[in-house]
Amino acid sequence: MRTRAIFMLMLAVVTGAASVAAAQVAPPVPPTPPAPPSAPAPPAPMVLPRIAVEMALDEARLASLDALRVLPDVQVITRDALDRARIARDDMRRDFNFDFNFDFQNDMQMFRTTESGGNYESGKNYLNRRQYDQAIARFDRVIAAKGANVDGSLYWKSFAQFKLGKSDDALATIAMLRKDHPQSPYNSDAKALEADVRKRAGQPVNPADVDDDELKILAIQGLMNTDSARAIPLLEGVLNGTNSLSVKKNALYTLAGSKDPKARQILLGYAKGGGNPDLQIEAIRYLAASRDRQSPNDKTTTSTELMQIYSATQSVEVKLAVIRALQSSGANVALTNIVNSSNSPVVVRQQALSGLSGQINPDELWSLYQKETNKELKMQMVSLFGSMDAADHLNRIITTEKDPEIRRRAVRSLGNRKAEKSGQMLVNMYAGEQDLETRRTIINSLASQNNAEGLVAIARKETTLELKKDIVRKLSDMAPKSKVAADYLMEIIK
């Protein structure tokens, strides 16, 4: 009943707010006299379409990442909130006779970004926008946290300092990277950056040198149609040189569009982590995208190479990138092997299982379910069975599964089907079910089907007063449109 009171209070607040807003409508403003004609504005500077898109995407990323930054621990807070949501959902079912089928299975995946990870991505996006002071501030937060991405933050901080003409600061930051992270893969890029910093030391900053990224990107895109023998060494030089992340990404993109074996070799090297770590995920994505232009034998090779990358890395983000690439490639065997890999992180296995959605049949999924021991994955599989309309497999789970929460998930999935397809199954389950909450879930599922016949059938045998009251309440709601429900209520009265 506490939930009902909260619900009514929220309704009152919303209604009151609407009334106040209606009462405060401003009077109409008299029209203003027409303004005198003004001189035509100068034409806006041309923005390259690809650059405009990237800038818009960066704006969106920055907004979301800055929002994440204010949370001290996103994962803990979100997990706690989801637990409270589950409790509230169950309370609503009991108090309001509603049956919400909210699926919280994958809700935590969207919050994998921690505060330091958010600042790191935010800093890189500021770099792409050439807002170097803001980028340095974000990287400093990552460095101070002493968590993930510290070496990357030191490198990109030194790059931003270089762009601002702060040569001494840039050299000091590079020295810190080399001292504190001697094995970091960023040290290779840092060596090239150091040479450029020392070359420019003592010279004034030339704006043409600082803001030439758009020209470089335009030039890179133009190389697509040139002689690959000349273009590929230039693109490799862009990747190895002191350039912004957006410029290097465009160089990778251009290499991915080439059919030259040398271009693919360079792309594969970055996908395997042979260069700047920030480019590895991009290279993996491009490697899978270029697969459509390959021969069948080369496509098989790509799947094999992706699995080699997966096995060689400990990074969850890289593993997830490989899984997305395998999914786009239709590599179901590789995805199935990842799902079956009990040593892999659960979030990785969940992503692989999602990649199999729509690609495997219920019997193949049942084979996976029987071998699985992780509760979260089994819950996800139950949801997949529901999306497949696999009533027989859901019935098997309900009759054989020992975990009551998984069984209730299967019951709700059955309840989402039409009464003529699963109603009798639910009635039969109810007779042999001992768990009180599972029986209540069956009641809610029958009610969501408007299955008055099923509710009457279980009501006649129910001896627990609270459950019987719950059934009668639901039949009362159906009575105006259901003769079966109305007749049963008449029986009670007589």
Side-chain angles (χ1 to χ4, degrees), residues 310-324:
Y310 178 91
S311 302
T313 184
Q314 298 299 317
S315 168
V316 170
E317 291 303 320
V318 173
K319 286 181 180 292
L320 292 174
V322 170
I323 290 172
R324 287 190 289 270

Side-chain angles (χ1 to χ4, degrees), residues 47 50-68 118 121-131 134 138:
V47 180
R50 183 176 178 82
I51 303 301
V53 172
E54 289 184 355
M55 290 174 65
L57 290 173
D58 286 345
E59 290 284 354
R61 292 189 192 102
L62 287 172
S64 60
L65 293 170
D66 285 345
L68 285 174
E121 294 300 323
S122 180
K124 290 192 295 183
N125 283 317
Y126 276 123
L127 277 183
N128 290 339
R129 298 167 62 191
R130 296 188 292 279
Q131 297 179 357
Q134 292 92 328
R138 293 297 193 278

Side-chain angles (χ1 to χ4, degrees), residues 32-196:
T32 57
S38 58
M46 182 185 70
V47 180
L48 297 175
R50 183 176 178 82
I51 303 301
V53 172
E54 289 184 355
M55 290 174 65
L57 290 173
D58 286 345
E59 290 284 354
R61 292 189 192 102
L62 287 172
S64 60
L65 293 170
D66 285 345
L68 285 174
R69 180 177 52 82
V70 303
L71 298 178
D73 191 332
V74 175
Q75 292 183 343
V76 173
I77 291 175
T78 305
R79 188 177 294 110
D80 183 59
L82 289 174
D83 288 341
R84 291 197 301 272
R86 290 187 182 97
I87 294 170
R89 174 197 61 190
D90 294 339
D91 287 345
M92 290 286 278
R93 286 188 181 132
R94 286 193 291 269
D95 293 349
F96 293 102
N97 303 324
F98 293 156
D99 185 27
F100 295 120
N101 290 308
F102 299 146
D103 186 355
F104 295 101
Q105 180 64 29
N106 295 316
D107 291 349
M108 284 300 297
Q109 292 188 36
M110 64 192 298
F111 294 101
R112 288 194 305 271
T113 304
T114 61
E115 183 182 4
S116 62
N119 281 317
Y120 183 63
E121 294 300 323
S122 180
K124 290 192 295 183
N125 283 317
Y126 276 123
L127 277 183
N128 290 339
R129 298 167 62 191
R130 296 188 292 279
Q131 297 179 357
Y132 300 117
D133 287 321
Q134 292 92 328
I136 290 171
R138 293 297 193 278
F139 294 136
D140 279 339
R141 290 173 185 166
V142 180
I143 295 166
K146 297 181 180 179
N149 302 312
V150 173
D151 55 343
S153 294
L154 285 168
Y155 171 74
W156 290 118
K157 177 183 177 180
S158 64
F159 178 84
Q161 290 167 331
F162 167 68
K163 287 292 189 178
L164 291 172
K166 299 179 179 180
S167 300
D168 291 341
D169 292 344
L171 291 172
T173 304
I174 293 171
M176 185 183 300
L177 168 63
R178 190 172 292 129
K179 175 178 177 293
D180 295 344
H181 304 274
Q183 303 302 319
S184 170
Y186 287 94
N187 280 318
S188 177
D189 281 2
K191 184 176 180 180
L193 174 59
E194 182 180 20
D196 286 338

Side-chain angles (χ1 to χ4, degrees), residues 148-259:
N149 302 312
V150 173
D151 55 343
S153 294
L154 285 168
Y155 171 74
W156 290 118
K157 177 183 177 180
S158 64
F159 178 84
Q161 290 167 331
F162 167 68
K163 287 292 189 178
L164 291 172
K166 299 179 179 180
S167 300
D168 291 341
D169 292 344
L171 291 172
T173 304
I174 293 171
M176 185 183 300
L177 168 63
R178 190 172 292 129
K179 175 178 177 293
D180 295 344
H181 304 274
Q183 303 302 319
S184 170
Y186 287 94
N187 280 318
S188 177
D189 281 2
K191 184 176 180 180
L193 174 59
E194 182 180 20
D196 286 338
V197 172
R198 294 190 183 281
K199 188 187 303 181
R200 185 185 290 178
Q203 299 179 13
V205 177
N206 184 349
D209 293 334
V210 175
D211 296 326
D212 61 353
D213 282 1
E214 290 186 16
L215 292 176
K216 287 183 178 179
I217 291 173
L218 183 61
I220 287 170
Q221 292 170 343
L223 288 173
M224 181 73 77
N225 299 319
T226 66
D227 179 15
S228 61
R230 296 176 54 199
I232 290 175
L234 292 173
L235 292 170
E236 190 171 15
V238 169
L239 290 168
N240 293 331
T242 303
N243 291 294
S244 69
L245 188 57
S246 61
V247 170
K248 291 189 175 189
K249 284 182 178 180
N250 273 273
L252 275 181
Y253 177 81
T254 305
L255 287 170
S258 172
K259 295 182 180 180

Side-chain angles (χ1 to χ4, degrees), residues 321-394:
V322 170
I323 290 172
R324 287 190 289 270
L326 289 169
Q327 181 180 355
S328 68
S329 302
N332 293 344
V333 173
L335 291 172
T336 300
N337 289 337
I338 294 173
V339 173
N340 284 327
S341 176
S342 58
N343 294 328
S344 296
V346 172
V347 66
V348 171
R349 299 175 66 203
Q350 285 177 319
Q351 182 68 37
L353 183 58
S354 296
L356 289 172
S357 177
Q359 305 298 321
I360 58 175
N361 60 48
D363 288 337
E364 291 170 328
L365 182 59
W366 178 249
S367 177
L368 292 175
Y369 184 89
Q370 288 180 302
K371 293 182 285 187
E372 189 53 59
T373 58
N374 180 271
K375 180 176 179 177
E376 294 178 50
L377 276 162
K378 294 180 83 170
M379 294 278 275
Q380 185 179 354
M381 290 179 187
V382 170
S383 295
L384 281 179
F385 279 123
S387 67
M388 293 175 176
D389 209 22
D392 291 339
H393 295 82
L394 290 170

Side-chain angles (χ1 to χ4, degrees), residues 13 196 230 235 265 268 272 406 414 452:
V13 170
D196 286 338
R230 296 176 54 199
L235 292 170
Q265 181 182 352
L268 181 60
K272 290 183 175 181
I406 296 175
L414 271 181

